[in-house]
Amino acid sequence: MMSDPDKRPGNDPSLIFTVGLRQGERISLRGESFVIGRDISADIQLESLYVSRHHAEISSEGGYWFVTDLHSKNGVYQNLTRIKPGTRMSLNDQDKIQIGSVSTFEFHDPAATIHQAEKRMLVLGLWLDEPNREVYVFNKRLTPILSPQQFTLLSELVGKADDVMTNDEIAAVLWPEAAGGVESAAIDNAISRLRDRLRELDDAHEYIETVRGVGRRFIQRKPMS
């Protein structure tokens, strides 16, 4: 019987292992959920003591793909940035995912271009296009783009969702060479400039909230009634 052309390996979303354990292997994602870990029950097994039994999950919903750190000991990194344990992060075509320090794979999705456009339409508030360092609010793109420093800070805030990013953490992102010698006024000015840029797209919602004496946190816009 002739196979369905839409089910050929080249048409499936897939993981291609590029570094470390299982290097050179390609795994087609034909299903909705795949657990990565060292346990024998894992869908994608990585036999290393540096990999948690259930380390990460690759899952799909509504045609989109996501990666989640299942509270692993040594972390999951998306394009070199460690993702928050338990937070489901959307996957883009050619994203690089690192499992601890033992294995890296690339995510490939033939329909990624369509999905990227659809995701921007579905997001009710702010959305980051990480590969291109672009910011979208209600499908409107911020132009000119943020400086690398500003985008990195915004990405860190968004990654923490509703959790507070302390002033020390903010200073470490903006001025890593300062080693703790950053005055609060400098942080306030940097946050103020970033807020001003976001207001260019949406002046009815404050995306960066000040938690007095602690730091800042990102607050996504809630659906409008």
Side-chain angles (χ1 to χ4, degrees), residues 113-221:
T113 301
I114 296 174
H115 289 172
Q116 288 294 93
E118 289 178 345
K119 278 195 287 188
R120 287 197 289 269
M121 293 297 292
L122 291 172
V123 172
L124 293 172
L126 183 144
W127 183 84
L128 299 181
D129 180 351
E130 297 275 359
N132 295 310
R133 219 175 71 234
E134 293 180 335
V135 180
Y136 289 83
V137 176
F138 295 112
N139 203 33
K140 297 182 294 184
R141 182 167 63 92
L142 182 63
T143 55
I145 64 174
L146 296 177
S147 69
Q149 185 187 52
Q150 288 178 319
F151 188 87
T152 299
L153 175 58
L154 181 58
S155 179
E156 291 285 341
L157 285 164
V158 171
K160 283 181 170 291
D162 293 328
D163 290 343
V164 176
M165 187 171 182
T166 67
N167 290 328
D168 286 343
E169 290 173 328
I170 293 171
V173 169
L174 294 175
W175 304 283
E177 71 286 349
V182 178
E183 295 183 359
S184 60
I187 297 175
D188 292 343
N189 289 335
I191 293 294
S192 179
R193 289 194 296 270
L194 181 54
R195 281 174 173 155
D196 287 343
R197 290 303 318 277
L198 298 181
R199 290 189 187 110
E200 294 174 23
L201 292 179
D202 185 0
D203 61 2
H205 177 73
E206 197 68 88
Y207 288 93
I208 303 175
E209 178 184 70
T210 296
V211 180
R212 195 171 299 279
V214 182
R216 272 76 173 181
R217 63 184 166 196
F218 175 79
I219 304 294
Q220 182 63 283
R221 177 186 270 282

Side-chain angles (χ1 to χ4, degrees), residues 17-210:
F17 284 81
T18 57
V19 178
L21 294 180
R22 305 189 70 152
Q23 182 177 356
E25 290 189 43
R26 179 186 182 278
I27 297 176
S28 293
L29 300 178
R30 298 184 181 184
E32 295 183 351
S33 177
F34 302 83
V35 172
I36 300 171
R38 79 167 188 270
D39 194 84
I40 192 171
S41 67
D43 301 293
I44 302 172
Q45 191 174 12
L46 297 174
E47 296 183 16
S48 170
L49 293 177
Y50 297 100
V51 176
S52 298
R53 289 184 171 84
H54 294 152
H55 197 107
E57 181 183 41
I58 304 295
S59 60
S60 69
E61 182 177 334
Y64 308 113
W65 286 90
F66 305 87
V67 59
T68 306
D69 181 346
L70 300 177
H71 299 276
S72 66
K73 182 178 180 180
N74 292 309
V76 178
Y77 297 79
Q78 182 176 20
N79 299 323
L80 301 180
T81 298
R82 186 166 183 169
I83 65 178
K84 179 182 176 182
T87 300
R88 193 172 70 163
M89 303 294 292
S90 62
L91 282 168
N92 302 313
D93 187 44
Q94 299 185 39
D95 272 359
K96 292 179 174 58
I97 304 299
Q98 180 179 330
I99 304 298
S101 61
V102 303
S103 188
T104 299
F105 60 80
E106 289 185 358
F107 170 76
H108 289 263
D109 182 2
T113 301
I114 296 174
H115 289 172
Q116 288 294 93
E118 289 178 345
K119 278 195 287 188
R120 287 197 289 269
M121 293 297 292
L122 291 172
V123 172
L124 293 172
L126 183 144
W127 183 84
L128 299 181
D129 180 351
E130 297 275 359
N132 295 310
R133 219 175 71 234
E134 293 180 335
V135 180
Y136 289 83
V137 176
F138 295 112
N139 203 33
K140 297 182 294 184
R141 182 167 63 92
L142 182 63
T143 55
I145 64 174
L146 296 177
S147 69
Q149 185 187 52
Q150 288 178 319
F151 188 87
T152 299
L153 175 58
L154 181 58
S155 179
E156 291 285 341
L157 285 164
V158 171
K160 283 181 170 291
D162 293 328
D163 290 343
V164 176
M165 187 171 182
T166 67
N167 290 328
D168 286 343
E169 290 173 328
I170 293 171
V173 169
L174 294 175
W175 304 283
E177 71 286 349
V182 178
E183 295 183 359
S184 60
I187 297 175
D188 292 343
N189 289 335
I191 293 294
S192 179
R193 289 194 296 270
L194 181 54
R195 281 174 173 155
D196 287 343
R197 290 303 318 277
L198 298 181
R199 290 189 187 110
E200 294 174 23
L201 292 179
D202 185 0
D203 61 2
H205 177 73
E206 197 68 88
Y207 288 93
I208 303 175
E209 178 184 70
T210 296

